[in-house]
Amino acid sequence: MSTPDETPGQMPGAPRPRRRLWLVALPLVLFLALAGLFFSRLETGGDPSRIPSALVGKAAPKAALPPLDGLKGPGGAPLPGIDLAALAGKPTLVNVWASWCGPCRDEHPVLMQLAKDGRFNLVGINYKDAPENARRFLGQYGLPYQAVGVDPKGRAAIDWGVYGVPETFVVAKDGTIVHKFVGPLTPEAVNTTLLPLIARLSGS
């Protein structure tokens, strides 16, 4: 006699038909999930910079970040940390970077070019880095930043909603985040998106 959990004619301990059906259907479920992800990437052109940020349209984090110890500016004076309140009056690019980040090296020449544009401030958040490595990186590749704040534990990055490095935030004069670039800035992104946005924000 079968129990309530057994199908008549089914040997005790044999796999239940419902369980076998689930095992057969599992690969199909996984395939459909991956296909959905693939098509969603096609919809965005596969561009990771189009990942939305919950902070766009909101005020940038207020917390000031301490300077990178031993880092000096072009005149030999210590470079300050980040205090967005002191940078009010111009749009500000906040670039999150690290010396151990390969894409940050690819992005750096773009930042060096942007540093020549006087319409906005360019500051960097050094993310989970060793100070000596960060200074060596900037000594080798150049110093594009007007200020560098350190985030050794990654707590500030959480406040900014950072997915990973590099990322760049565009902050308006009033301290509102208006755009976020995920991944390294490219000349194409600068020319098609960033510079027109800066022109609008700066009134130029």
Side-chain angles (χ1 to χ4, degrees):
M1 183 175 66
S2 63
T3 65
D5 292 333
E6 293 176 353
T7 303
Q10 180 182 353
M11 294 295 293
R16 300 172 187 173
R18 186 174 299 174
R19 185 177 298 173
R20 287 200 302 267
L21 180 61
W22 170 245
L23 291 175
V24 171
L26 182 59
L28 177 61
V29 172
L30 293 175
F31 171 78
L32 292 176
L34 291 173
L37 178 62
F38 173 76
F39 284 111
S40 70
R41 294 284 290 171
L42 286 181
E43 287 294 318
T44 63
D47 182 2
S49 69
R50 294 181 62 179
I51 296 175
S53 171
L55 292 184
V56 170
K58 299 181 180 180
K62 302 292 185 184
L65 294 177
L68 176 59
D69 186 40
L71 182 63
K72 296 182 179 180
L79 205 71
I82 294 178
D83 182 2
L84 290 182
L87 298 173
K90 280 185 180 182
T92 299
L93 300 188
V94 180
N95 177 250
V96 186
W97 65 282
S99 65
W100 46 261
C101 163
C104 295
R105 292 182 175 85
D106 299 332
E107 174 186 64
H108 211 75
V110 176
L111 296 177
M112 293 300 293
Q113 285 297 118
L114 288 173
K116 301 174 184 178
D117 194 324
R119 294 176 296 171
F120 54 87
N121 306 303
L122 176 56
V123 301
I125 296 178
N126 185 227
Y127 175 74
K128 291 187 176 181
D129 213 347
E132 60 274 15
N133 292 340
R135 289 192 301 270
R136 188 180 304 114
F137 178 96
L138 295 174
Q140 180 177 355
Y141 296 104
L143 176 62
Y145 307 114
Q146 297 164 246
V148 173
V150 295
D151 185 21
K153 302 294 185 181
R155 293 172 182 168
I158 293 174
D159 294 338
W160 282 88
V162 170
Y163 290 97
V165 289
E167 290 189 7
T168 302
F169 297 83
V170 183
V171 181
K173 297 177 184 180
D174 64 358
T176 301
I177 297 174
V178 296
H179 196 82
K180 175 182 179 178
F181 294 91
V182 177
L185 285 173
T186 64
E188 180 182 7
V190 168
N191 291 328
T192 61
T193 302
L194 178 57
L195 291 182
L197 180 58
I198 290 296
R200 178 170 64 83
L201 293 174
S202 62
S204 59

